[in-house]
């Protein structure tokens, strides 16, 4: 490998341009507590345990150079079995996403330890202002290689919402994470995020959802607030009582009734538990109908023409 290819490889993985550094020993280890890594004489990578950086393990040194410079499979196997932290911390420290084998190994490790704070360190880098910056490519790789890891983003989104000042682009970071989760059919993270911060939806809309199509489609066409969900569940339940349930269609167990209302009429409504529900018809005084008492205050009523709906129990008088 010539010096230009060597420098390109270092830049690709460590994001360090060795051509801009003076001297013959350039640190690459990003304050790693476990290993010392540096470029030596612009021709090989120095590698040693931080506990004893001068005590060189020649086998580890050789394999590290083979791994980094040549993507050597045997070197990868060596570190997986003898020093697995070398692989995982390489991904964590530098956010390198160019090797799917290294990433798959790292994602398996994250899945095994299930540590939210550790997962956070893999998803974010730190800029010059000590702000956390989302590694969007890392999120995309998780979605591609190990999408179940995205279930861990429940806690990540909570971290961001709890301390947005620690993040460079908190709302965009949340949007990217939510979009990835939705691509794996994880809607719970969205629902939690919007429940914690309802104003987030307005912010996302104002930013046109940061150009994220899955998130855009979900919020615009599928997301419902807790109140909307409760109303829909009630409507589904009402539809079941009116159209499906055998108990509320069996006329042999129905009771006969007329209205009991000082106004001389009452409304037959489409849904229960709401005086604002759509009115289907008006039931006049002395007009007979069938009804089925329910546990709640709204009972199923069927008119003589077969139209069915709900009437408040207080408006119904049984006819023996």
């Amino acid at each position: 490998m010539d010096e230009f290819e060597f420098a390109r490889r270092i830049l690709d993985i460590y994001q360090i341009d060795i051509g801009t550094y003076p001297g013959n020993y350039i640190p690459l280890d990003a304050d790693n507590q476990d290993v010392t890594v540096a470029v030596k004489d612009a021709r090989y990578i120095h590698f040693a345990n931080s506990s004893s950086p001068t005590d060189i393990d020649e086998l580890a040194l050789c394999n590290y150079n083979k791994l980094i410079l040549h993507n050597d499979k045997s070197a990868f196997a060596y570190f997986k079995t003898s020093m697995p932290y070398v692989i995982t911390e390489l991904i964590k420290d530098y956010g390198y996403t160019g090797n799917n084998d290294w990433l798959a190994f790292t994602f398996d490790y994250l899945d095994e330890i299930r540590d939210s704070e550790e997962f956070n360190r893999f998803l974010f880098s730190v800029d010059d202002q000590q702000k956390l910056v989302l590694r969007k490519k890392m999120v995309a790789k998780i979605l591609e290689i190990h999408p179940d890891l995205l279930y861990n983003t429940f806690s990540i989104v909570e971290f961001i919402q709890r301390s947005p000042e620690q993040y460079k682009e908190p709302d965009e970071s949340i949007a990217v994470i939510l979009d990835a989760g939705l691509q794996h059919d994880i809607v719970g993270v969205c629902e939690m995020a919007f429940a914690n911060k309802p104003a987030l939806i307005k912010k996302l809309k104002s930013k046109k959802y940061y150009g994220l199509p899955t998130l855009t489609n979900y919020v615009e066409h599928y997301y419902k607030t807790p109140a909307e969900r409760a109303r829909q569940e009630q409507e589904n339940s009402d539809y079941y009582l009116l159209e499906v349930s055998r108990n509320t269609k069996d006329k042999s167990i129905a009771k006969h009734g007329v209205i009991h209302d000082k106004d001389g009429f009452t409304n037959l409504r489409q849904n229960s538990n709401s005086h604002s529900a759509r009115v289907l018809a008006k039931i006049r005084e002395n007009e007979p109908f069938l009804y089925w008492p329910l546990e709640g205050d709204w009972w199923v009523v069927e008119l003589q023409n077969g139209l069915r709906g709900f009437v408040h129990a207080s408006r119904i008088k049984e006819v023996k």
Side-chain angles (χ1 to χ4, degrees):
M1 177 177 290
D2 63 30
E3 62 182 292
F4 299 106
E5 179 62 17
F6 179 89
R8 187 201 63 77
R9 187 68 173 161
I10 297 300
L11 178 62
D12 183 37
I13 295 178
Y14 300 97
Q15 303 300 304
I16 291 176
D17 182 358
I18 61 175
T20 63
Y21 282 78
N24 64 349
Y25 191 86
I26 304 168
L28 303 174
D29 55 18
D31 298 323
N32 193 310
Q33 300 299 309
D34 296 313
V35 297
T36 296
V37 181
V39 170
K40 188 74 168 68
D41 298 328
R43 60 189 181 85
Y44 78 93
I45 303 173
H46 172 79
F47 173 85
N49 289 321
S50 289
S51 58
S52 182
T54 58
D55 185 14
I56 305 300
D57 181 333
E58 293 186 358
L59 181 59
L61 176 65
C62 178
N63 275 305
Y64 193 81
N65 277 267
K66 288 165 64 178
L67 176 74
I68 299 299
L69 301 178
H70 303 288
N71 189 24
D72 185 88
K73 301 295 183 183
S74 63
F76 178 50
Y78 168 82
F79 282 109
K80 282 201 299 183
T81 56
S82 62
M83 287 182 277
Y85 59 85
V86 169
I87 305 296
T88 59
E89 294 191 1
L90 186 67
I91 304 301
K92 178 173 66 176
D93 290 343
Y94 305 102
Y96 181 61
T97 58
N99 189 303
N100 281 1
D101 290 336
W102 301 0
L103 289 170
F105 179 76
T106 299
F107 295 157
D108 285 342
Y109 155 77
L110 287 172
D111 195 23
E112 182 177 347
I113 65 169
R114 298 182 181 277
D115 185 321
S116 297
E117 291 189 7
E118 183 75 346
F119 186 58
N120 193 55
R121 295 186 187 101
F122 280 86
L123 282 187
F124 292 89
S125 59
V126 181
D127 68 6
D128 294 339
Q129 284 74 46
Q130 298 301 301
K131 296 282 188 179
L132 295 170
V133 181
L134 181 67
R135 292 167 167 166
K136 296 179 183 179
K137 289 183 178 179
M138 190 70 72
V139 175
K141 282 296 184 179
I142 290 173
L143 180 61
E144 173 190 340
I145 296 171
H146 201 321
D148 282 353
L149 269 182
L150 293 168
Y151 285 102
N152 293 332
T153 55
F154 279 92
S155 57
I156 302 302
V157 171
E158 283 189 314
F159 288 159
I160 301 173
Q161 291 187 314
R162 192 162 54 241
S163 304
E165 70 283 354
Q166 296 182 17
Y167 297 82
K168 184 175 183 180
E169 298 288 349
D171 292 337
E172 183 177 9
S173 298
I174 290 174
V176 171
I177 292 170
L178 297 184
D179 186 79
L182 289 169
Q183 290 184 58
H184 192 52
D185 295 324
I186 304 174
V187 300
V189 183
C190 265
E191 293 179 354
M192 178 209 70
F194 297 154
N196 288 345
K197 301 287 184 181
L200 176 60
I201 295 179
K202 186 176 181 180
K203 289 183 178 180
L204 293 178
K205 287 183 178 179
S206 70
K207 297 294 184 179
K208 298 182 178 179
Y209 303 97
Y210 297 95
L212 299 166
T214 305
L215 179 61
T216 302
N217 184 56
Y218 173 73
V219 177
E220 293 292 329
H221 301 292
Y222 296 101
Y223 174 71
K224 290 179 173 55
T225 66
E228 290 171 336
R229 267 201 315 277
R231 184 166 60 249
Q232 184 178 56
E233 288 171 2
Q234 182 63 53
E235 290 173 356
N236 291 341
S237 176
D238 289 347
Y239 176 82
Y240 173 80
L241 290 171
L242 293 177
E243 304 293 339
V244 181
S245 173
R246 292 181 179 179
N247 289 337
T248 55
K249 297 191 84 169
D250 185 351
K251 295 184 180 181
S252 69
I253 62 173
K255 294 187 176 185
H256 295 265
V258 293
I259 66 165
H260 175 69
D261 196 308
K262 61 182 177 60
D263 294 328
F265 73 91
T266 197
N267 292 319
L268 180 73
R269 296 187 181 273
Q270 185 175 30
N271 304 117
S272 66
N273 295 324
S274 175
H275 287 285
S276 62
R278 179 187 168 201
V279 175
L280 301 176
K282 290 187 182 298
I283 307 175
R284 303 295 176 180
E285 190 174 7
N286 297 322
E287 179 182 347
F289 53 78
L290 298 177
Y291 71 95
W292 289 259
L294 302 175
E295 290 184 3
D297 294 332
W298 292 82
W299 294 353
V300 173
V301 166
E302 182 176 313
L303 304 185
Q304 288 182 310
N305 63 5
L307 185 62
R308 292 163 59 81
F310 292 89
V311 173
H312 197 275
S314 65
R315 303 294 191 268
I316 296 175
K317 177 182 178 181
E318 184 179 4
V319 176
K320 299 293 186 179

